[in-house]
Every structure is written in C-alpha cells, then in structure tokens.
C-alpha cells in the first residue's frame, strides 16, 4: 500500500458522548447563561463551521429503507435484525473465495477510529467517529486477481425482520459498487462500530462500507456479499433512476441533483435555525481523492 491515511479530525472535534446524552439539558442551561456558543465552538472541526454530532443524532437519523423510509424508522424497527452467525460471501476474481465469518475477516487487521465527514445526497451532513479497518487490507487477505476492476456489494435481506423489505419500497437486496482503485484507497473502510461501540443495527450492523468522499447511499450497510468483477456492477439507486443517481456519486457542489442543489448542506444537530454551510468538493477530501478522477468529466460521471 502506498500510504495510510492520516486523520486531520480528532476526538477533540467530536462532542463527548456524555455531553451529547445530556445535550438538550446542557444547552438549555448554557443558553440561559449566554455561553452556548462556546460549547458549540469546542465541538467544531478545527477551522471549519461544522456543528457537532451526537451518538443520538448518528443512531436516530438514518436512511435504511429495509426498515422504512422515515428517518426514525431504522432506529424504531432495526432491533429485530438478526446478526448472529454473520458471514460474508466473497467471490468472483479473488484467490480465496469463500464464506467468511466476522472473526475470519477481522483477524490480523488493524482496527482504528476514523472521524469522517458524512454527506447525504439529501443535502444533510454529520461528523461520525467510525471504527473499523481499511477495505484494502481485507481485500489483500482474500487476494484480488489480475483483471478485477470493480468491487460489488450486497446487503442482507431478512423479510421477517425488515418491514421495508416486506413493503418492497425499492428492489432488494440493496446493491452497490466501487471501482477497484476507489475500493483500495486508504480512506475507504469497513466499519464495525461508531463512538467505540459495536455498530448499531440501524447504522448497518455488524459491518458496512464507509466511503467518505461519496454521498452516503454508496456506503452500503449490513454487507453479506462482496464480489470482485471486471465490469461495472449495477447499483440500486442507479437502476431506479440513472439520471439522478450516477455510479460514482462523489460529493460535488458544482453538480446539482436534478431536483435540488448540492451547493450547501444542513448539519444534523445544528438546530432548527442553524445556517446551512457550503458543501466541500469530495466532501472535503479533495486533496486525497481528486487524482482518482483525473481526465474524467465529473458533470457526466456524477
């Protein structure tokens, strides 16, 4: 691997969980005392106008259509998700195909915390302290064969435990994909937890993809299959509406969604009257990932 990613956001940028668990009470008290602004500033990312995000925000404001289309549906309905005996089928152009348990996959890998910006195509954002490991390290364990150009992902389908699956709100299983060089980039990780805790069901337990420079729907949850392939794999939202959801789905404030602008974003946890902030190219990771797309027309390859 050419290099490992170095985080510029630190634990100091994330509001401590105990503060967030009592956030409303503390803010109310500080507002009365006229010092609420100082607390918000302490939790901002260095040098940026970011509002902090809480464990509560991160786990209760989700898109996970298998549990419903409302933002609180995943938290309300995900308790029934069965993660016992979880395994991922890895197949296609790999040296060691097979059905891998979580222990098989994580054995020998370096687990670490990554504090990433997270940007939804619906134009809201968070800062999330993920725990997990680099996807490249996991792929190295199974051995990527010459000729593989893409990585395809598939999420779990449990109709008995997932009310959204029973309602067939979109076609399931949810599928996603990355170009191989995107998958091998040091920023791309497989996350198994947040805030140092195991991944909550509503956030994609027990293991999910995190690609911080892309819109959130690329970060597929509760993965049960990974395939190395030589052709661009289908992705759920692209199949549903290719005009609105391209394969790459990089955060790009210059390319609006056909029905709304992507130039700014609403930070979850900022409050009802919080000012929207300007969206950063590649969600703020331009220096790290822009080279992946050199020579490409990003207005067409959106």
């Amino acid at each position: 691997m050419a290099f490992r990613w170095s985080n510029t956001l630190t634990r100091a940028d994330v509001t401590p969980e105990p503060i967030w668990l009592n956030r409303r009470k503390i803010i109310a008290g500080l507002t009365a005392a006229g010092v609420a602004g100082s607390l918000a500033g302490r939790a901002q990312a260095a040098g940026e106008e970011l509002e902090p995000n809480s464990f509560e925000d991160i786990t209760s404001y989700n898109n996970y259509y298998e549990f419903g289309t409302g933002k609180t549906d995943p938290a309300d309905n995900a308790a029934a998700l069965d993660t016992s005996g979880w395994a991922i089928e890895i197949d296609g152009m790999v040296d060691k195909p097979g059905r891998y348990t979580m222990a098989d996959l994580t054995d020998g890998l370096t687990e670490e915390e990554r504090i990433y910006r997270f940007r939804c195509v619906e134009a809201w954002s968070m800062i999330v302290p993920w725990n997990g490991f680099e996807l490249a390290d996991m792929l190295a364990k199974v051995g990527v064969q010459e000729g593989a150009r893409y990585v395809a992902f598939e999420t779990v389908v449990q109709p008995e435990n997932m009310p959204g699956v029973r309602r067939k709100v979109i076609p399931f299983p949810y599928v996603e994909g990355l170009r191989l060089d995107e998958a091998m980039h040091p920023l791309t990780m497989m996350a198994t937890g947040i805030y140092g805790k195991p991944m909550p069901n509503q956030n994609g337990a027990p293991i999910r993809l995190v690609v911080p420079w892309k819109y959130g729907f690329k970060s597929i949850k509760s993965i049960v299959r990974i395939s190395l392939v030589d052709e661009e794999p289908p992705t759920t939202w692209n199949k549903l509406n290719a005009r609105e959801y391209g394969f790459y789905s990089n955060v790009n404030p210059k390319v609006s969604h056909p029905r709304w602008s992507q130039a700014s974003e609403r930070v979850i946890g900022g409050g009802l009257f919080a000012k929207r902030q300007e969206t950063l190219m590649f969600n703020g990771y331009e220096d790290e990932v822009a080279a992946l797309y050199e020579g490409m027309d990003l207005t067409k390859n959106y």
Side-chain angles (χ1 to χ4, degrees):
M1 189 181 304
F3 68 96
R4 293 190 73 84
W5 180 73
S6 178
N7 202 349
T8 57
L9 298 175
T10 71
R11 267 285 181 180
D13 298 312
V14 180
T15 297
E17 185 183 353
I19 291 178
W20 275 103
L21 293 176
N22 296 286
R23 176 172 176 267
R24 289 179 176 82
K25 184 188 302 182
I26 294 171
I27 291 292
L30 292 177
T31 299
V35 295
S38 63
L39 175 62
R42 178 178 178 275
Q44 287 175 348
E48 300 172 352
E49 296 301 324
L50 296 178
E51 292 290 334
N53 299 103
S54 68
F55 183 83
E56 181 184 36
D57 286 336
I58 294 167
T59 58
S60 63
Y61 194 92
N62 307 83
N63 286 332
Y64 196 162
Y65 279 15
E66 285 84 341
F67 294 109
T69 56
K71 293 292 183 290
T72 61
D73 285 345
D76 292 340
N77 299 324
L81 177 67
D82 182 6
T83 60
S84 60
W86 199 270
I88 298 180
E89 187 76 24
I90 300 181
D91 57 19
M93 304 174 74
V94 295
D95 296 333
K96 302 173 184 176
R99 187 173 184 270
Y100 290 84
T101 67
M102 289 292 290
D104 294 332
L105 286 173
T106 58
D107 181 46
L109 299 186
T110 301
E111 186 164 346
E112 56 192 303
E113 182 178 80
R114 298 283 183 87
I115 300 172
Y116 284 161
R117 298 177 189 85
F118 188 84
R119 174 62 155 76
C120 179
V121 72
E122 296 170 351
W124 53 263
S125 65
M126 295 183 178
I127 296 179
V128 183
W130 303 103
N131 299 91
F133 49 86
E134 292 187 8
L135 173 58
D137 292 345
M138 195 197 78
L139 293 177
K141 289 187 68 171
V142 298
V144 178
Q145 294 181 349
E146 187 175 354
R149 298 179 57 219
Y150 296 89
V151 186
F153 303 88
E154 184 176 310
T155 198
V156 72
V157 178
Q158 295 181 4
E160 67 279 14
N161 299 325
M162 294 175 150
V165 170
R166 295 196 295 274
R167 296 177 197 136
K168 300 180 180 179
V169 293
I170 61 173
F172 298 110
Y174 192 96
V175 292
E176 257 304 337
L178 295 174
R179 217 171 53 194
L180 183 59
D181 57 348
E182 296 175 321
M184 299 295 282
H185 193 280
L187 280 173
T188 305
M189 67 182 298
M190 299 291 284
T192 56
I194 54 175
Y195 268 102
K197 300 179 180 181
M199 185 69 70
N201 286 357
Q202 59 267 35
N203 291 85
I207 187 168
R208 60 172 291 170
L209 183 70
V210 176
V211 194
W213 70 93
K214 294 178 178 286
Y215 294 118
F217 65 85
K218 295 291 287 188
S219 294
I220 185 172
K221 303 178 180 73
S222 303
I223 295 169
V224 294
R225 185 176 183 182
I226 298 174
S227 305
L228 276 294
V229 296
D230 60 357
E231 295 184 354
E232 183 179 291
T235 65
T236 290
W237 284 106
N238 184 253
K239 288 192 300 181
L240 286 168
N241 192 338
R243 178 174 172 269
E244 296 190 358
Y245 304 101
F247 175 83
Y248 287 95
S249 299
N250 293 320
V251 175
N252 188 344
K254 301 175 184 175
V255 177
S256 295
H257 184 282
R259 289 181 283 136
W260 58 79
S261 170
Q262 295 290 5
S264 65
E265 60 199 35
R266 177 174 60 92
V267 180
I268 300 302
L272 182 62
F273 301 105
K275 184 180 178 182
R276 295 176 68 90
Q277 67 181 28
E278 291 186 4
T279 294
L280 300 173
M281 187 67 191
F282 294 113
N283 204 24
Y285 300 99
E286 184 172 8
D287 289 347
E288 289 95 337
V289 304
L292 295 174
Y293 310 102
E294 284 183 357
M296 295 177 64
D297 184 345
L298 297 183
T299 64
K300 296 179 179 177
N301 297 284
Y302 53 87

